[in-house]
Amino acid sequence: MGEAMGPNTVGALHAGADFMAEQMAPTTDQTDANAAEEEFLRLREKRKADMQAVQSSRFGGSALLIGKNDWQREVVAASKDAWVVTLVRAPTRMEGDVAKTDVSEAVDVLAKKYLNVKFVEIRAEDAVPPSRYETLPSIFVYQDGSCRNSLIGTQLAEDGSAPTVAESIEWKLAEFGVFVVEGAVSGEGGEEGGGGAAEVD
């Protein structure tokens, strides 16, 4: 049988237990804080991914055909939340240096590739006066409610450094800051007004 513990011994054990509890408390609090921070970061990343998914699904991976009455909502207002790349088509009866079908197909290719960018198409008759038809097709790039840059007429053509019209346009838009493409030097937008912005009311 062990020796019976006196009051002093029992008191010392209780004191030791209290001391250990005090020493463990900060560790427990720190563990809880770390867990809370990890949960916050996880939720933040999930929210970011959810927002990107919503934005991607909203744009749908294809160019949206709009009319004149849609311009303010689908281009100007929408550009406050994301880049908006707008193709003004050439009139059907006109033939230019750039094949109209090639440019339209190129825009569809890029719309499927860059889901966080909104792509819009509008007919010439809904966008510009007849006196400017010879400059079409043209692309106007909007951000923060303003036209930031443009590719007018023959600027959309292949420049020899890209094998397809889609890759040529992709490279030029990357230089405007719309996309991130390896090797392209972004100009972070451009001169406001874009050198001939479409005049849609």
Side-chain angles (χ1 to χ4, degrees):
M1 298 290 294
E3 184 179 344
M5 293 186 294
N8 292 337
T9 303
V10 173
L13 289 174
H14 283 302
D18 292 341
F19 175 78
M20 290 300 296
E22 291 174 0
Q23 293 300 308
M24 293 176 64
T27 303
T28 302
D29 291 344
Q30 184 63 42
T31 300
D32 291 343
N34 291 340
E37 183 177 3
E38 291 176 1
E39 179 66 9
F40 170 76
L41 293 175
R42 185 188 69 80
L43 291 174
R44 186 175 67 176
E45 289 303 312
K46 182 179 184 301
R47 177 175 172 78
K48 181 179 178 181
D50 290 344
M51 290 177 66
Q52 290 175 338
V54 169
Q55 188 179 57
S56 298
S57 63
R58 182 179 68 194
F59 298 147
S62 62
L64 175 67
L65 179 63
I66 66 171
K68 180 176 182 178
N69 294 335
D70 303 320
W71 184 274
Q72 286 295 325
R73 180 183 70 254
E74 299 294 348
V75 178
V76 179
S79 71
K80 295 177 182 179
D81 297 323
W83 285 95
V84 178
V85 176
T86 303
L87 168 64
V88 180
R89 295 177 175 177
T92 304
R93 67 179 184 277
M94 294 183 65
E95 294 293 338
D97 294 329
V98 182
K100 296 184 296 297
T101 54
D102 287 349
V103 175
S104 188
E105 289 174 0
V107 168
D108 281 337
V109 168
L110 296 176
K112 290 179 174 64
K113 184 174 182 179
Y114 296 98
L115 297 177
N116 62 332
V117 175
K118 184 172 185 176
F119 290 84
V120 171
E121 291 190 20
I122 187 170
R123 298 181 180 90
E125 294 81 0
D126 291 331
V128 297
S131 61
R132 294 179 59 184
Y133 284 177
E134 64 182 17
T135 66
L136 303 178
S138 294
I139 284 179
F140 299 93
V141 180
Y142 276 72
Q143 184 189 43
D144 296 329
S146 299
C147 183
R148 297 298 181 184
N149 231 313
S150 61
L151 295 170
I152 307 297
T154 56
Q155 292 178 334
L156 294 169
E158 297 174 44
D159 58 11
S161 61
T164 67
V165 173
E167 289 174 294
S168 178
I169 294 174
E170 178 183 32
W171 185 269
K172 292 166 183 174
L173 293 178
E175 291 179 335
F176 294 163
V178 180
F179 312 136
V180 177
V181 176
E182 185 177 356
V185 178
S186 170
E188 296 296 331
E191 182 180 352
E192 189 167 332
E199 298 172 351
V200 177
D201 298 323

